[in-house]
Amino acid sequence: MYIYNYGRTVIGKQFSKLSKMSPLEITSTLLEKTKMTQVKDLDFISVGITRSAGNGPSFARQVAVKNGYDTVESTSYNSACMTGMYAMLDSLRRGGVNLSLCVGVDSMSQAPELKLKDGRSVDHNIQDGLHCPVAAATPLQQVVNLNKKYPKSRAELDAYALRSHQRSQHGWDSGFYDYVTPVEGLVRDETVRGAASIESFAKAPVLDGEGHIACSNVTSRSDGASFALVGHLPFATLKDGTIMKPKARVVDFVMGYGEPHETVMASIPAIESLLKRNKLTLKDIDVVELSDPFAWIALEYMNRMELDERKLNMFGGTLSLGHPVASTGLRLVQNAVGALERVQGRYAIASTPAMIGVGVAALIERL
């Protein structure tokens, strides 16, 4: 699979700048501003959304019709944190599809309260997004428990979090994120705290009983959308004569499986299987984009996999950029391609764990 183009909106904090926009409005604004609505050669549209309650049925079809693709086949996806990436990678399996538009979008701000039949009112963000019914725990609860087995101090966690925010700030200051689309007057990711310090992080509220996992080293609930234009041809010629040269190639991807109660670790078997199948080691990889909504995840992965932090999330990660869940997987791919270009490397891995002990990892080659 070849990646011809990509883009995303700025990421807004929950209940802030993008909160009044529905997922359909966020998506359509992104596609219009990036002129994706002018590409009339699509064979398939895949759309990932994890907070779909209240947005009506067949969300992918809504996106297609709203943006002028009335006769293009479309499919919706919901696979928790890997939704956006999986929506893209699933295009690999479809025969007869030369050009696909893949989208990931979520508005955590607009996720409603749900009234269950047993009388309980629950937050859609938790019930259908963050709570694992198999492990009977949220990722936060899992990380709190894992930190008891594989402890990281508050100082370690906050130090990594600060580096993540500094890298994200550098990404914006250096022009790495110039491709990002401003929305609703927001011109930079709202979640990035470039002026933060260890001292300010130390004042953040604690989320566990031991005082280690805190708001300072955990990502923010967010709103935003991403897209990728992908296909199977090394050069795509559109009906208007435009020739699209790919930015990168997806060489392979692998699903990995772990324990549901340790689902945040599920990228490890995915990455290990991907490397083994392609006869590579981490030394052959120039860039690693790993979703790290918790600083604990990044530190534990670096320890277990002997992963060089200089290769990891070079321009910030989920921790600092925010986590509009269905959008994040595609954002990882975008960062991987962009970072490869910056360092003039050959291979990158983009990976994210998801719910119920599953993870996905993709091998990306710069062209």
Side-chain angles (χ1 to χ4, degrees), residues 48 80-89 102-104 325-330:
C81 297
M82 69 179 188
T83 296
M85 192 186 300
Y86 188 75
M88 184 188 79
L89 296 173
C102 312
V103 175
V325 179
S327 175
T328 293
L330 285 171

Side-chain angles (χ1 to χ4, degrees), residues 91-356:
S91 298
L92 278 171
R93 309 181 191 200
R94 292 182 173 268
V97 173
N98 290 325
L99 194 62
S100 298
L101 176 64
C102 312
V103 175
V105 60
D106 266 317
S107 172
M108 300 183 84
S109 295
Q110 295 213 352
E113 288 285 323
L114 303 178
K115 183 78 169 181
L116 303 184
K117 287 191 174 182
D118 62 7
R120 288 183 298 143
S121 292
V122 295
D123 181 357
H124 181 35
N125 278 314
I126 301 294
Q127 181 70 16
D128 296 321
L130 299 174
H131 182 266
C132 174
V134 177
T138 65
L140 171 60
Q141 291 166 333
Q142 291 188 20
V143 166
V144 169
N145 291 332
L146 284 165
N147 196 50
K148 295 174 183 177
K149 294 173 62 177
Y150 312 105
K152 314 277 185 287
S153 69
R154 173 72 180 270
E156 290 177 287
L157 295 168
D158 279 358
Y160 174 83
L162 182 62
R163 293 195 295 275
S164 180
H165 282 276
Q166 290 171 339
R167 287 182 173 193
S168 293
Q169 184 69 37
H170 171 68
W172 277 104
D173 292 343
S174 67
F176 181 80
Y177 291 118
D178 280 355
Y179 73 93
V180 174
T181 300
V183 179
E184 292 291 282
L186 186 63
V187 297
R188 287 194 174 196
D189 296 321
E190 198 176 7
T191 48
V192 177
R193 290 174 276 174
S197 65
I198 286 296
E199 291 73 24
S200 64
F201 275 7
K203 300 174 183 178
V206 172
L207 300 172
D208 67 349
E210 286 72 35
H212 304 307
I213 312 300
C215 291
S216 52
N217 52 63
V218 172
T219 192
S220 306
R221 293 188 186 183
S222 314
D223 308 326
S226 302
F227 80 86
L229 188 66
V230 302
H232 290 283
L233 302 176
F235 289 91
T237 303
L238 304 184
K239 293 175 183 176
D240 64 3
T242 302
I243 297 176
M244 291 192 303
K245 181 181 178 181
K247 297 175 181 288
R249 179 172 74 102
V250 179
V251 179
D252 193 11
F253 76 95
V254 171
M255 308 293 289
Y257 303 95
E259 296 295 332
H261 65 281
E262 294 187 357
T263 194
V264 295
M265 304 307 296
S267 273
I268 289 180
I271 293 172
E272 290 176 342
S273 297
L274 182 70
L275 291 170
K276 182 177 180 180
R277 191 157 81 182
N278 289 276
K279 297 181 173 57
L280 298 169
T281 70
L282 278 176
K283 291 182 180 179
D284 300 307
I285 307 302
D286 302 293
V287 171
V288 177
E289 282 294 323
L290 170 71
S291 188
D292 58 350
F294 304 91
W296 185 94
I297 293 177
L299 293 180
E300 186 65 15
Y301 275 58
M302 285 190 285
N303 179 53
R304 292 196 191 189
M305 304 187 73
E306 298 183 356
L307 175 58
D308 186 345
E309 187 175 348
R310 290 173 296 182
K311 298 180 179 182
L312 177 65
N313 299 347
M314 293 179 179
F315 296 93
T318 304
L319 176 59
S320 50
L321 293 170
H323 193 18
V325 179
S327 175
T328 293
L330 285 171
R331 197 269 307 157
L332 293 169
V333 171
Q334 295 169 13
N335 274 39
V337 174
L340 274 180
E341 185 64 29
R342 276 290 182 101
V343 303
Q344 292 293 287
R346 181 179 181 184
Y347 288 126
I349 287 178
S351 181
T352 178
M355 277 291 182
I356 318 181

